[in-house]
């Protein structure tokens, strides 16, 4: 895989974010998030999707947990806590200002130093609202995500 930017730079859809994402993914990449029913084909569509998600993550706190690589496969596990903007993340049914924790395990397949397939296993946890109110009930594993939202 190409050299990576520091994680804090990857959370914002800057020119560096877009350039790094384009460099890491093969043109015909397949990206899936099964719990949300999402499947995205192609680098341009995926970079646009990742940029929209990054914009929706206000005040992100990224915590890398572990990374394992063997041959053409990489598994990364991270947690990011953020304040949700209220739009931009497909299937996330929470009001603007909600504090959210996303646990994500990324399973990557690499060919010619680029990601050709990525499956994201995600756990979404509402933590409350920005003003400290209790968290609203969450979506995904309980069936409130809908593909294409």
């Amino acid at each position: 895989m190409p050299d990576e930017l520091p994680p804090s730079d990857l959370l914002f859809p800057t020119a560096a974010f877009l350039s790094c994402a384009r460099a890491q993914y093969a043109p015909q990449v397949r990206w899936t998030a099964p719990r949300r029913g999402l499947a995205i084909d192609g680098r341009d569509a995926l970079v646009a999707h990742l940029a929209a998600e990054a914009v929706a993550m206000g005040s992100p706190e990224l915590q890398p947990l572990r990374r394992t690589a063997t041959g053409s496969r990489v598994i990364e596990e991270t947690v990011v806590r953020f304040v949700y903007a209220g739009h931009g993340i497909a299937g996330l049914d929470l009001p603007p200002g909600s504090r959210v924790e996303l646990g994500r395990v990324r399973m990557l397949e690499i060919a010619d130093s680029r990601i050709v397939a990525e499956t994201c296993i995600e756990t979404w946890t509402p933590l409350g609202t920005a003003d400290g109110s209790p968290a609203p009930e969450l979506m995904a594993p309980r069936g409130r995500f809908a593909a294409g939202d």
Side-chain angles (χ1 to χ4, degrees), residues 16-88:
F17 170 94
L18 297 173
S19 176
C20 184
R22 288 192 60 74
Q24 288 187 11
Y25 290 100
Q28 300 304 319
V29 65
R30 170 86 168 166
W31 184 95
T32 60
R35 287 189 177 167
R36 290 193 281 159
L38 296 178
I40 299 171
D41 292 308
R43 179 174 55 202
D44 292 340
L46 177 56
V47 169
H49 169 80
L50 296 175
E53 284 195 350
V55 167
M57 295 182 180
S59 303
E61 300 170 19
L62 182 68
Q63 179 181 1
L65 300 176
R66 68 188 122 241
R67 179 183 176 124
T68 303
T70 58
S72 63
R73 299 196 190 276
V74 176
I75 298 174
E76 289 184 343
E77 186 175 358
T78 59
V79 172
V80 62
R81 291 172 196 86
F82 61 93
V83 177
Y84 182 47
H87 56 83

Side-chain angles (χ1 to χ4, degrees), residues 5 9-20:
L5 293 173
D9 288 343
L10 290 175
L11 291 175
F12 304 101
T14 62
F17 170 94
L18 297 173
S19 176
C20 184

Side-chain angles (χ1 to χ4, degrees), residues 100-147:
V100 180
E101 178 179 276
L102 166 59
R104 183 179 273 174
V105 176
R106 299 173 65 210
M107 295 174 285
L108 312 171
E109 293 179 34
I110 312 296
D112 296 325
S113 299
R114 292 196 174 181
I115 301 167
V116 296
E118 178 174 347
T119 300
C120 294
I121 305 302
E122 304 170 325
T123 303
W124 296 82
T125 306
L127 301 175
T129 62
D131 67 4
S133 301
E137 176 118 355
L138 192 60
M139 49 318 151
R142 298 181 204 134
R144 290 181 48 202
F145 271 124

